[in-house]
Amino acid sequence: MSGMFFVLLPTLICFILPTILIFARYRDRSRHVVKPRACKQLGSSPQRELGDWCTKIIDTFWRKRYSYQGREGPIVGLVKSLYIHPIKSCRAVRVEEAEVLSTGLKYDRQFTFAELHESGGNAGSASPGLPGWKFVTQRKYNKLANILVQIWVPDPNSPEHTPDQAAVQSAGVLLVHYPDQKDGADKQASKKFEIPYNPTATQVLAMGYTMEKLTIWKDRPDALLIASTNHTDPPEWIKDIQTYLGCSKPLGLFRVAAGHDRQVFRNAPRKEQLGYQSVIGFVDAYPLHILGLSSVADLDRRLASVVPGISGSTALRFRANIYFNGPEAFAEDSWKRIRIGQSSYYVSCRTTRCELPNTDQRTGKTHQSQPSKLMRSYRNVDPGAGPGKACMGMQMVPAAEYGVIKVGDTIEVLETGTHHYILQ
């Protein structure tokens, strides 16, 4: 009985207490939120850093005393946080529970900003001579981190909920907040616009959305163009964001088009093994990204002695979907197959890191070299990634086309082995 108490105690401290504190701090502010009709908000914007003192408590209990054997392998830790990024490279949404689809977490990276190139390409394009729309990220425009996104889903309990309500038909809306640039001030996100999450064919026609080719790495899928400064009469918000980011080219916002997902190969399990073809929307390479907070803590300790000015945990800079507590640093490097809660996942390969982690996701400000430079000095661990390429976190493919994942789910290691990254 006393052993069970010590298992529950850190869980109560680390999961329930922060929730109470956050609610108390923000409850008055929530009264002033203008709610989209017939909807309720899903999740919230991150309010605190990961990798804090709670992480150390959980790590201590799990690694030293309370890890145990699961159905097929050792239970090594717990899911600490889940993050969805509705618009690629914009602010994340933290959730307590998420549906897992073949493309990854539901709502994740279903939208992206893009630039229109008359010729040539950009740093994010694998086809530099091809004109047209090309996706953009914080690699080029670090201020994307300051664009806040809220997910509002249909609420059956709302008195306004009816089948003909626009937000109900589009499976919800995104409410997007961005800084007001009036008088040249770089303020907090204070202006906003609303777009349908998954517009119907009727809504697409009524709103003038069009299908366009969009280059994202080596893929060029058809995608739904929501708005563009290249249009005759563009919405004010897309012009505002173009100015805020400092884009010299026409800027557009795209949504993944139904039936035009990108197929995943390379390190992913094949269709014959999965029973379905692995696909993605606007994520870079694989459906899911998982990262251990012990691995982040190891980086943070090293970073503190190199760049004292970078404070707090760097966890959110890696923009993972799943953060977990428990095992020692980089234990995930050897995972090949795991179970989280009731669902299984193939751990396909390591995540190779670009310069994006140099951007603080709380402010949008970018350090000229760190932590990327430091990571390259000791995390060049995968020969397939190439010389000088750092790795942090793992890429995953769901073993089934549908599942559910929750904060607090246990992680069971089903298979381990070596990884060799396959380049695009």
Side-chain angles (χ1 to χ4, degrees), residues 268-283:
R270 295 298 181 257
K271 181 178 180 180
E272 295 74 21
Q273 184 178 4
L274 279 176
Y276 74 95
Q277 174 58 52
S278 180
V279 292
I280 51 176
F282 291 149
V283 301

Side-chain angles (χ1 to χ4, degrees), residues 52-70:
D52 52 17
W53 55 271
C54 287
T55 297
K56 297 176 183 178
I57 293 175
I58 292 289
D59 282 351
T60 300
F61 272 76
W62 273 95
R63 190 159 59 238
K64 294 184 178 179
R65 186 172 180 183
Y66 289 109
S67 58
Y68 58 94
Q69 185 69 22

Side-chain angles (χ1 to χ4, degrees), residues 71-387:
R71 286 180 289 171
E72 299 180 52
I75 302 290
V76 298
L78 298 171
V79 173
K80 171 73 181 292
S81 293
L82 297 170
Y83 287 87
I84 295 170
H85 309 79
I87 302 180
K88 190 177 180 69
S89 262
C90 294
R91 191 71 62 88
V93 175
R94 189 180 64 219
V95 296
E96 295 298 307
E97 178 178 330
E99 295 178 73
V100 183
L101 311 179
S102 59
T103 54
L105 297 190
K106 187 176 181 179
Y107 304 108
D108 191 55
R109 280 126 170 151
Q110 292 296 293
F111 294 79
T112 187
F113 284 101
E115 286 183 322
L116 182 61
H117 292 250
E118 294 183 2
S119 62
N122 65 2
S125 172
S127 46
L130 190 65
W133 289 102
K134 296 178 174 64
F135 82 111
V136 295
T137 68
Q138 290 181 34
R139 298 175 187 92
K140 185 173 184 180
Y141 297 116
N142 56 325
K143 287 185 176 181
L144 283 167
N146 293 329
I147 297 177
L148 279 63
V149 186
Q150 295 176 346
I151 306 169
W152 290 81
V153 298
D155 181 7
N157 296 319
S158 169
E160 297 179 301
H161 188 283
T162 60
D164 59 350
Q165 183 65 248
V168 175
Q169 293 178 346
S170 63
V173 299
L174 295 188
L175 192 58
V176 185
H177 300 252
Y178 61 95
D180 187 353
Q181 292 299 285
K182 187 177 180 181
D183 300 325
D186 192 2
K187 303 175 182 178
Q188 295 295 316
S190 57
K191 298 184 76 174
K192 62 180 180 293
F193 64 93
E194 182 181 307
I195 54 174
Y197 172 70
N198 190 15
T200 64
T202 301
Q203 290 172 332
V204 167
L205 185 62
M207 297 178 181
Y209 300 163
T210 58
M211 293 287 283
E212 306 283 347
K213 289 290 185 182
L214 172 66
T215 298
I216 178 165
W217 300 112
K218 288 188 175 181
D219 298 321
R220 201 162 184 251
D222 288 325
L224 192 62
L225 179 58
I226 303 297
S228 165
T229 57
N230 203 41
H231 287 164
T232 303
D233 187 22
E236 196 67 27
W237 58 263
I238 192 69
K239 295 189 292 183
D240 286 347
I241 292 176
Q242 180 188 36
T243 301
Y244 175 64
L245 297 179
C247 302
S248 59
K249 296 179 174 64
L251 183 73
L253 178 64
F254 283 82
R255 194 207 188 281
V256 173
H260 293 277
D261 293 315
R262 299 151 55 213
Q263 294 187 344
V264 182
F265 298 102
R266 295 197 288 159
N267 290 99
R270 295 298 181 257
K271 181 178 180 180
E272 295 74 21
Q273 184 178 4
L274 279 176
Y276 74 95
Q277 174 58 52
S278 180
V279 292
I280 51 176
F282 291 149
V283 301
D284 278 347
Y286 295 85
L288 292 162
H289 180 202
I290 188 170
L291 178 59
L293 289 174
S294 294
S295 304
V296 176
D298 180 88
L299 171 64
D300 291 343
R301 284 192 296 270
R302 297 167 187 262
L303 192 61
S305 63
V306 177
V307 190
I310 297 182
S311 61
S313 172
T314 58
L316 295 182
R317 293 171 179 244
F318 297 97
R319 299 180 63 82
N321 299 116
I322 306 164
Y323 293 90
F324 65 90
N325 290 117
E328 62 187 11
F330 310 112
E332 61 268 32
D333 277 1
S334 65
W335 295 352
K336 299 288 285 187
R337 196 165 54 91
I338 62 175
R339 179 183 290 114
I340 303 178
Q342 300 301 313
S343 301
S344 298
Y345 301 86
Y346 288 93
V347 185
S348 297
C349 62
R350 296 183 177 92
T351 305
T352 58
R353 310 308 323 196
C354 61
E355 303 297 309
L356 197 151
N358 294 350
T359 298
D360 188 334
Q361 298 301 301
R362 300 167 299 177
T363 64
K365 295 181 179 179
T366 302
H367 191 277
Q368 61 182 0
S369 62
Q370 298 292 4
S372 294
K373 182 178 179 180
L374 175 60
M375 285 193 295
R376 287 194 296 271
S377 71
Y378 80 105
R379 284 298 298 167
N380 181 214
V381 294
D382 194 315

